[in-house]
Amino acid sequence: LSPSEVQTSYLFERRENAPAPAPIPPVSTADIVVVETTSDASKRAPLRVVLPRLICFLLTIFLFLFSVGASPFFVSSSDQPAAMLKGYLVYYIFLFVSVFLGLFLNVLCWLFTFRHSDKSLQIRVLTGLIFFSSLLIVAVPFLDGVPSKLTHLSEDIHQIDQGETLEAVVFFHPNTKKASLPELNESKFLVELRGIGASTNGRWVSFFVPYSLRFTMDNNALYSENRSVEWNLENAAQYRITYTEHFHLLTSVERIS
């Protein structure tokens, strides 16, 4: 036999004498374990962090925008002076609560997603911008002086309820315009009148008349800035008014004969 034939015969004999391979045990589906790779986990972590925070942030913006434009739901042009002030008071409380509810939701989202926080710089910057934007939205009521408005509204309502409004006798300027209460800048449910007299120390002062008082000036006895004081005292109509201290909202007005 040639050397190659001898080697082939030897290998064939080894294969025949080799032990049979052990059988492979069956694998049940319960034994299958899905291993999540590091790359998959890193891809899902940003969604677990950013998505809830972004949703809470958008909800905060919605609450803020809705509450800012919600004053017509609380105040009507037909309201009496006290009812109008109370409507504004409830509206600003609603604005205050809505904005802080948005901040509370953002804080909850941050706490629940903290354990999934990603260490990448991009995710940290994005979530930081969302959080500080929420803080800025919450700061708006303070920047706009809402706490002081609530105080002034409460004090003016107390004045009306207790009959402690201020009183003055004034001439009214013939020019009028629609207006909102000072400091509030909401819907223009009022008429702004400028009055002058001894009670105002000879200076023009703005007063605000609700439509519910149904006040109209006497067009035959209007004040004239081009005439002397004596002429106006003899020919122009004077009005006795009662009004609130902070917002100068008229609660009553009558002409003095």
Side-chain angles (χ1 to χ4, degrees), residues 2-94:
S2 62
S4 61
E5 292 176 346
V6 172
Q7 184 177 5
T8 303
S9 176
Y10 173 74
L11 292 174
F12 181 75
E13 291 177 357
R14 287 195 62 184
R15 288 177 183 175
E16 285 185 342
N17 298 329
I24 300 175
V27 180
S28 65
T29 56
D31 297 330
I32 299 176
V33 179
V34 179
V35 180
E36 185 178 30
T37 61
T38 305
S39 60
D40 292 338
S42 61
K43 290 178 181 178
R44 295 180 183 178
L47 290 177
R48 295 175 182 174
V49 176
V50 176
L51 190 58
R53 295 178 182 178
L54 183 60
I55 292 174
C56 290
F57 174 66
L58 294 176
L59 183 59
T60 302
I61 295 179
F62 171 77
L63 286 172
F64 175 73
L65 294 178
F66 174 76
S67 57
V68 166
S71 60
F73 294 101
F74 300 93
V75 184
S76 171
S77 59
S78 61
D79 287 343
Q80 295 294 322
M84 183 173 289
L85 293 178
K86 290 176 182 177
Y88 277 120
L89 180 65
V90 174
Y91 162 68
Y92 276 101
I93 292 175
F94 172 76

Side-chain angles (χ1 to χ4, degrees), residues 126-202:
L126 180 58
T127 54
L129 288 175
I130 291 175
F131 184 72
F132 286 109
S133 299
S134 302
L135 290 180
L136 181 61
I137 292 175
V138 173
V140 168
F142 288 99
L143 297 176
D144 198 32
V146 170
S148 63
K149 292 176 183 178
L150 291 174
T151 302
H152 292 166
L153 284 168
S154 299
E155 291 176 354
D156 280 7
I157 291 171
H158 178 76
Q159 278 188 332
I160 296 175
D161 291 341
Q162 299 299 319
E164 299 174 352
T165 51
L166 305 179
E167 184 175 327
V169 175
V170 296
F171 295 102
F172 281 135
H173 195 282
N175 295 335
T176 64
K177 64 178 181 180
K178 292 183 178 180
S180 58
L181 283 177
E183 302 181 28
L184 301 185
N185 299 322
E186 301 297 336
S187 302
K188 296 183 178 181
F189 290 147
L190 307 165
V191 176
E192 181 180 355
L193 300 174
R194 289 191 300 149
I196 192 171
S199 305
T200 65
N201 296 321

Side-chain angles (χ1 to χ4, degrees), residues 45 47-50 52-53 56 104-117:
L47 290 177
R48 295 175 182 174
V49 176
V50 176
R53 295 178 182 178
C56 290
F104 179 71
L105 290 175
N106 275 273
V107 172
L108 282 183
C109 287
W110 273 69
L111 292 176
F112 280 115
T113 58
F114 183 76
R115 63 190 182 92
H116 299 296
S117 295

